[in-house]
Each structure stands twice: as C-alpha cells, then as structure tokens.
Amino acid sequence: MKIEIGKVLKAQGIKGEVKLACYVDDAAMLKTVKQFYIGSKTYTVTHFRADGAFCYVLLDGIADRNAAEVLRNWTVYADKECVAVDEGKYFIDDLVGCVVTLDNGKCVGSVKEILQNGAADVFVCDGDCGETLFPFLKNLILSVNIQAKQITLDSKRFDEVAVYED
C-alpha cells in the first residue's frame, strides 16, 4: 500500500537533488525508504538526508538541476511498510475506524477523523451519544491495537479532556 509522504518543493543544487516537504512527523522516518513514487514513475533513492520537516534526496535517473526542476510540486508516495514508525506513533489511516473504549468498559465510539492543528492531534469519534472529541495524550491512552482496531483510554483522564458535540 502506498502512502503520501510529501511534496517536491524545488531542485536543490546542480546535481539533481530535490527538496521535499515531508508529511510525516520527522523526515528521518523516511531514511529506510528505498523507492519513491512520483507521478507514474518509480525512483530509487540513491542519497537521503533529513532536516526537520524537510528532506533532500538524490533519485536515480535525475542527473541534474533541470531534471530535478521538472519534479517541482509533484506529490511523493512510498510503500507504507518501508516507512520507519517509532513506538507509540501511528499512521492516521490506521487509527481511523478504530473503536474507542474506556477502561471502565464504556464505548466512546469509532474514530471518524483526526484533526492536526495544535500541540496534540484531536480525535473525532462517532458514538451513541453523538460526536466526541479528545486529544491524543500519552497520559490518556492506555493501549492501541491496530490489528484489532481498538483504542483503550483512561476513564478519569477522559472525563477531564473530552468535548461532546450535539
């Protein structure tokens, strides 16, 4: 399965290197990726360096600045299983659809979407009581099981941070 990992911003230098804006938490997560998919072409990564939210890559077949410039503004994809994900980090598409329950057995609902606009991602769940929003905080999350599509939360902390929409 391919996932969107970034966008080519510009050519970097004269040897065909491109600068990517990365859509992952840290560009270093992409260091294990050996192939990028841009448009209908597959490119082998011959050199990679990360710099915060950006990375610089040399791609096989892109030999100079002119060839690199053609890739400007193209979306970059990679095979999902090749992206290195740290412990406690997850792909959004793996979390959407998970059933969220509290440690007291109460079902909050299923994750409908995840909003990313601040210090913590905000989960939006649909349940019997309508829409519930809560931040994805370390002291709130007890367990995440991607295979079982199950997230378990601390009920006391949940009561402190949850927002209910009618």
Side-chain angles (χ1 to χ4, degrees):
M1 178 178 164
K2 292 179 181 59
I3 59 167
E4 192 173 321
I5 58 166
K7 178 180 181 180
V8 177
L9 295 178
K10 65 177 190 159
Q12 180 75 21
I14 61 171
K15 296 183 179 180
E17 189 175 50
V18 294
K19 179 179 181 180
L20 270 64
C22 298
Y23 299 159
V24 293
D25 288 343
D26 181 6
M29 293 171 63
L30 302 176
K31 67 184 173 192
T32 57
V33 178
K34 300 300 180 208
Q35 290 186 318
F36 286 167
Y37 305 95
I38 304 172
S40 61
K41 294 187 179 179
T42 302
Y43 294 95
T44 300
V45 177
T46 59
H47 186 264
F48 176 92
R49 61 187 169 97
D51 183 16
F54 303 98
C55 65
Y56 301 87
V57 294
L58 279 172
L59 303 170
D60 190 38
I62 306 297
D64 59 29
R65 184 176 185 88
N66 291 335
E69 196 62 44
V70 171
L71 300 177
R72 182 188 289 259
N73 294 321
W74 279 88
T75 301
V76 181
Y77 298 86
D79 292 317
K80 182 177 177 180
E81 63 273 3
C82 295
V83 178
V85 180
D86 295 334
E87 176 99 18
K89 304 253 181 183
Y90 308 94
F91 291 111
I92 288 175
D93 66 327
D94 287 340
L95 296 170
V96 171
C98 284
V99 174
V100 179
T101 56
L102 304 179
D103 58 358
N104 63 11
K106 180 181 175 191
C107 182
V108 176
S110 100
V111 178
K112 180 173 86 172
E113 74 178 299
I114 299 173
L115 309 173
Q116 297 182 294
N117 12 346
D121 293 347
V122 175
F123 282 46
V124 180
C125 289
D126 269 338
D128 294 339
C129 299
E131 216 171 62
T132 305
L133 288 77
F134 63 89
F136 196 73
L137 304 171
K138 287 183 184 178
N139 63 359
L140 173 64
I141 310 301
L142 296 178
S143 68
V144 176
N145 185 331
I146 297 298
Q147 289 74 28
K149 300 294 274 181
Q150 180 68 41
I151 299 172
T152 306
L153 308 177
D154 180 284
S155 57
K156 290 178 185 169
R157 185 70 174 122
F158 182 79
D159 289 339
E160 296 170 0
V161 299
V163 175
Y164 299 94
E165 299 276 326
D166 290 332

